[in-house]
Amino acid sequence: MTIIDHPDAIREQCRAWRRDGLSLGFVPTMGNLHEGHLSLIRRAAADGFCLASIFVNPLQFGAGEDFANYPRTFADDCAAAEAAGAGAIFAPAEPLIYPPGFATSVEVAGLTDVLCGRSRPGHFRGVTTVVMKLFCLTLPDRAYFGEKDYQQMVVIRRMTEDLGLGTEIVPMPIVREPDGLAMSSRNRYLGASERAAATCLYRGLRAAERAVGEGATASETITAAARIVIAREPAADIDYVELVEPETLQSLPVLDRPGRLCLAVRIGPARLIDNLALTPPGAAS
Ligand code: AMP
């Protein structure tokens, strides 16, 4: 597996791979790789040549968020990525991506005002700016994004379509721990009792799904089913629980077509997110 740290070098190398006829699949990450990331790498490697990136992007962290503490485990990440089938890793130092004078940002309107955009102003602008730069350097045929960060996947897909990049955005299912907690680098911030409480996100989603199975269609009823479960955990502080339309992320007052139930909950030092596709009873999913 090749490790490349310079933007000029990755641009040249990606050109060479394309000249050699390789079909390029790109997996952008912030490192601290777990099975969620590795599922993306495995799929990209099965579809063609897999390039993964590791870059903790300062632009997507707000003031007071966890940029400084974000886990950095580069040597382990390289070993895990290689074992999962990555052919190369791009791991640039911060000043190579944002040199002095860097002044450009990419912003997707509307989709970024809702859900996590409300409580993390500027977060998605940071994400789209770095992903756009990484896409420009690598020009991948496909890029893989986990549905764990469902809003992020929708925002990137919008950006890619709007700007005519020609990269196919491949959404990938959420990988969970055996007890249902969605895998996340931020789970390591949790102490033992917080880790136990954190299962309330998935338990809440499943309670909402059960409510739908029992005939609930009003967003209020469906989200209440999730809220009740989460609110039983004293360590849990709900940021939002919302039923949205899967493409526009606008509120869906009635589940009369497929929806996405999205939530964000603070558990101790960690702000965790999760989501689940919901379909009205009797509708094809
Ligand atoms: P991150 O390193 O957190 O920026 O994540 C990099 C990519 O891995 C993003 O596309 C995430 O959505 C994806 N990812 C993170 N956790 C999971 C998970 N539990 N299941 C599936 N994909 C994930």
Side-chain angles (χ1 to χ4, degrees):
M1 188 183 70
T2 320
I3 298 176
I4 295 174
D5 64 3
H6 202 286
D8 295 341
I10 196 71
R11 188 192 294 105
E12 273 315 304
Q13 186 59 71
C14 287
R15 275 189 192 136
W17 284 324
R18 271 192 302 278
R19 258 197 320 271
D20 292 347
L22 292 183
S23 164
L24 204 61
F26 181 42
V27 180
T29 82
M30 297 205 297
N32 192 236
L33 302 187
H34 51 63
E35 274 303 311
H37 301 109
L38 298 177
S39 71
L40 275 53
I41 291 175
R42 284 193 201 100
R43 170 72 190 276
D47 292 348
F49 183 84
C50 171
L51 166 68
S53 66
I54 297 179
F55 181 67
V56 185
N57 174 33
L59 287 193
Q60 71 189 72
F61 290 81
E65 289 188 354
D66 54 342
F67 175 68
N69 305 332
Y70 199 82
R72 289 158 170 92
T73 50
F74 186 64
D76 288 351
D77 292 348
C78 288
E82 181 164 29
I89 298 269
F90 177 47
E94 193 186 313
L96 292 175
I97 293 297
Y98 302 123
F102 186 93
T104 301
S105 58
V106 178
E107 182 147 13
V108 174
L111 291 174
T112 58
D113 295 338
V114 297
L115 303 175
C116 286
R118 282 206 192 97
S119 36
R120 302 187 72 190
H123 166 69
F124 287 110
R125 185 173 54 240
V127 170
T128 43
T129 299
V130 79
V131 170
M132 187 64 195
K133 178 144 193 179
L134 294 169
F135 280 4
C136 287
L137 291 171
T138 58
L139 299 178
D141 296 288
R142 291 168 305 285
Y144 299 80
F145 287 87
E147 290 184 337
K148 211 275 269 166
D149 303 276
Y150 186 79
Q151 184 174 15
Q152 169 175 279
M153 185 280 293
V154 171
V155 167
I156 302 261
R157 193 168 56 193
R158 182 79 266 154
M159 175 188 82
T160 307
E161 283 175 24
D162 287 354
L163 299 181
L165 294 178
T167 296
E168 180 195 353
I169 303 303
V170 183
M172 293 288 293
I174 302 174
V175 177
R176 300 180 178 282
E177 301 286 356
D179 63 6
L181 177 65
M183 290 195 181
S184 164
S185 304
R186 291 188 165 105
N187 293 348
R188 61 161 61 196
Y189 299 154
L190 302 168
S193 66
E194 292 161 345
R195 171 63 187 81
T199 58
C200 72
L201 279 81
Y202 187 59
R203 286 186 282 117
L205 291 171
R206 294 301 300 270
E209 187 179 53
R210 276 196 304 279
V212 171
E214 287 159 11
T217 55
S219 169
E220 269 172 37
T221 318
I222 296 166
T223 55
R227 280 173 190 281
I228 287 166
V229 169
I230 298 166
R232 263 189 230 130
E233 285 296 342
D237 180 15
I238 295 177
D239 178 355
Y240 64 79
V241 178
E242 278 185 54
L243 179 65
V244 297
E245 200 281 323
E247 306 285 323
T248 64
L249 306 182
Q250 293 302 299
S251 292
L252 191 60
V254 179
L255 188 71
D256 52 4
R257 57 205 137 112
R260 199 95 192 176
L261 184 62
C262 298
L263 49 83
V265 179
R266 186 167 280 286
I267 310 265
R271 182 179 177 280
L272 304 179
I273 55 174
D274 204 344
N275 66 86
L276 191 66
L278 291 179
T279 38
S285 56

